[in-house]
Amino acid sequence: MSFSTALAHHFLPESILVLGVLALILIGAWRGTRAFGLVNELAVALIGLAILALFFGQTSDASLFEGAFVDDAFARFVKALTLLGSLVTILMSRDYLQRARLGHFEFPVLVLLSTVGMLLLVSADNLIALYLGLELMSLALYVVAAFDRDDARASEAGLKYFVLGALSSGMLLYGASLLYGFAGTISFDGIAKSITGAPPLGVIFGLVFVLAGLAFKMSAAPFHMWTPDVYEGAPTPVTAFFASAPKMAAVAITARIVFTAFPGIVVQWQQIVIFLAIASMLLGAFAAIGQTNIKRLMAYSSIGHMGFALVGLAAGNEAGVRGVAIYLAIYLVMTLGAFAAILQMRVEGHPVEKIADLSGLSRNNGVAAFFLAMLMFSLAGVPPLAGFFAKYYVLLAAVEAGLFPLAIVGVLASAISAFYYLRVVKVIYFDDPAPAFDHSPLSLRAVLAVSTLFLLGFWLYPAPVVEAATAAAKSLF
């Protein structure tokens, strides 16, 4: 397959975004400070075109660029989630950035660049492609974390994320060099053929370092140390972006590398994933209890949810990957809906972040209170909301794989975490009213409403998500 054919048939979403970014940079340079609105709208249009290209383009699996990348059902499923997360983030960010005097055209451009990195990462089929996608994604994230240069908290968040991110990249590169040294190849298929039977100790070390680097990107414990501070310090639209699209790509490449490159040493990588899952679920359950800042609460919530996603991965089978895919789709909707509600927390033109600021929301804005309460119930896993089914599929896969202790820990962690989600509902409905929030933009209200309706109606018609996740899981096996 020629280079141009591969771009036109299997890399069309990436091609659209790359060419679009170049055009947006020229428009931004030409229009200067007046470019933000136009560039923001064009960025939304570009992602929309990429999603259409993904859905109506080629559906056949292919290995591209001499095995560096792969286009399969799993990649297309996760790419759709990633693009959706980026699209909604840009839609939700415009009003906030303009009010905060951060309406610079570089923001949507950086989001698009990071999204391109995520798409490449999801399709990576060798160690070099993995690293290139990861760094393209991460470099843009480092910048947007500190996008508010005049805010000390944002600058601190960007610096922490950059320093710790550089450390995790070094760990991943060291692990990749060990794997290359013992396998003699960088391709995932080649590594799988080279490592059979009892693996050498160097391979185990390499695997540990690679998974540690990827765990940092998905903020799984004990590599979560950056998450609460960065979530709190970064501008809220940036936090929404961090909590959504990059998580999709990080979990997806972790699934691809363990199933494609290490199918012969399942027991070894399964132990690592089980440890990450248990640590993340328990930390997310206990550490969030004492939080008073809603963004820090969502940080620990995301750590816990990544632990649940890893439960499905630890199952080591097709049912587990299907569970992970379903979990990612539902988690994305829950997270975007929750941050749409958080972005509406504004009093007299100033954003507020305390959980106590939600006091009495039911009396000031009953519709928003109901939607946010449903989101909290879904995050807690209360049936029949979609969050319950997300946890059901991954825990069922763990039980079918014989990982009963892991499933029990998951159930207990879910029960503990319900406390702080229900506390938010209690504050909304039973505490004395705090000052009412300002009127919110239509985009935020629409995202909040659509996400909540999806979570409420998922149990009525789950087939599209479940069938797409099933096809995605089959492509890895």
Side-chain angles (χ1 to χ4, degrees):
M1 184 182 298
S2 68
F3 180 80
S4 58
T5 303
L7 287 179
H9 290 83
H10 295 283
F11 260 55
L12 189 55
E14 291 87 342
S15 303
I16 291 171
L17 294 185
V18 169
L19 293 175
V21 163
L22 295 176
L24 294 184
I25 291 173
L26 291 176
I27 293 172
W30 172 49
R31 290 178 62 93
T33 56
R34 299 176 291 115
F36 175 70
L38 177 61
V39 170
N40 204 74
E41 292 170 3
L42 291 175
V44 170
L46 284 170
I47 298 178
L49 283 175
I51 293 174
L52 290 176
L54 192 64
F55 278 105
F56 297 104
Q58 288 287 333
T59 57
S60 58
D61 295 354
S63 181
L64 310 168
F65 310 129
E66 299 183 1
F69 298 96
V70 63
D71 180 27
D72 57 14
F74 182 75
R76 289 190 290 273
F77 180 87
V78 180
K79 284 180 182 180
L81 298 181
T82 301
L83 289 168
L84 178 62
S86 300
L87 174 68
V88 175
T89 297
I90 294 177
L91 283 173
M92 294 194 302
S93 66
R94 178 169 180 168
D95 179 75
Y96 180 99
L97 294 176
Q98 287 180 327
R99 287 174 180 266
R101 298 183 180 179
L102 296 173
H104 310 303
F105 78 90
E106 291 88 352
F107 181 81
V109 168
L110 287 166
V111 170
L112 289 182
L113 282 172
S114 183
T115 304
V116 172
M118 295 174 208
L119 300 186
L120 296 177
L121 182 61
V122 168
S123 288
D125 205 28
N126 68 34
L127 295 173
I128 292 179
L130 182 156
Y131 185 71
L132 289 175
L134 191 71
E135 286 306 295
L136 179 57
M137 174 186 82
S138 300
L139 289 173
L141 293 179
Y142 299 149
V143 180
V144 294
F147 198 71
D148 188 357
R149 294 176 298 177
D150 297 327
D151 185 353
R153 293 195 311 166
S155 299
E156 179 185 355
L159 185 60
K160 283 183 178 179
Y161 189 42
F162 171 70
V163 171
L164 294 173
L167 175 63
S168 73
S169 294
M171 294 170 64
L172 188 144
L173 272 181
Y174 180 62
S177 67
L178 286 174
L179 294 176
Y180 172 68
F182 280 89
T185 178
I186 59 172
S187 75
F188 293 166
D189 288 336
I191 294 172
K193 292 174 183 177
S194 300
I195 302 173
T196 56
L201 185 61
V203 169
I204 300 299
F205 271 99
L207 178 60
V208 169
F209 278 106
V210 168
L211 291 182
L214 294 175
F216 175 90
K217 298 304 178 184
M218 69 178 80
S219 65
F223 305 98
H224 67 283
M225 64 288 293
W226 62 274
T227 312
D229 292 337
V230 172
Y231 273 44
E232 182 183 11
T236 305
V238 175
T239 306
F241 187 50
F242 276 30
S244 54
K247 307 278 190 186
M248 308 294 110
V251 175
I253 190 58
T254 304
R256 184 180 295 283
I257 194 171
V258 295
F259 286 109
T260 306
F262 303 105
I265 56 171
V266 174
V267 174
Q268 284 78 4
W269 64 255
Q270 196 176 45
Q271 295 176 38
I272 302 171
V273 174
I274 288 173
F275 167 75
L276 293 174
I278 291 176
S280 299
M281 288 188 294
L282 292 180
L283 180 86
F286 285 104
I289 290 175
Q291 300 303 319
T292 59
N293 184 290
I294 188 73
K295 289 165 70 176
R296 289 186 74 90
L297 177 76
M298 290 303 298
Y300 286 109
S301 171
S302 73
I303 294 169
H305 281 286
M306 287 302 100
F308 280 100
L310 290 173
V311 169
L313 193 60
N317 53 32
E318 187 178 316
V321 177
R322 182 188 67 166
V324 171
I326 294 171
Y327 200 98
L328 290 179
I330 294 174
Y331 167 79
L332 177 70
V333 176
M334 293 189 296
T335 300
L336 292 174
F339 275 98
I342 293 170
L343 281 164
Q344 294 183 52
M345 295 173 60
R346 184 179 291 273
V347 177
E348 297 181 357
H350 300 287
V352 291
E353 300 175 357
K354 298 295 183 182
I355 296 174
D357 294 316
L358 292 165
S359 299
L361 180 63
S362 60
R363 294 172 230 181
N364 297 326
N365 190 338
V367 175
F370 172 76
F371 287 156
L372 182 54
M374 291 302 103
L375 285 165
M376 291 297 112
F377 282 130
S378 186
L379 286 165
V382 175
L385 296 169
F388 166 78
F389 292 98
K391 292 180 179 179
Y392 169 78
Y393 279 109
V394 293
L395 292 175
L396 178 64
V399 170
E400 291 177 348
L403 302 176
F404 299 107
L406 179 61
I408 291 171
V409 171
V411 172
L412 293 175
S414 183
I416 295 168
S417 63
F419 168 79
Y420 55 80
Y421 293 123
L422 297 181
R423 185 184 63 175
V424 175
V425 177
K426 173 256 183 187
V427 168
I428 291 172
Y429 279 94
F430 299 106
D431 284 10
D432 294 331
F437 296 149
D438 300 345
H439 184 71
S440 56
L442 176 62
S443 58
L444 295 180
R445 288 180 280 134
V447 171
L448 179 60
V450 171
S451 59
T452 306
L453 293 175
F454 171 85
L455 299 175
L456 285 169
F458 179 82
W459 66 279
L460 294 173
Y461 190 56
V465 175
V466 174
E467 289 173 1
T470 301
K474 284 182 179 179
S475 69
L476 277 188
F477 294 87

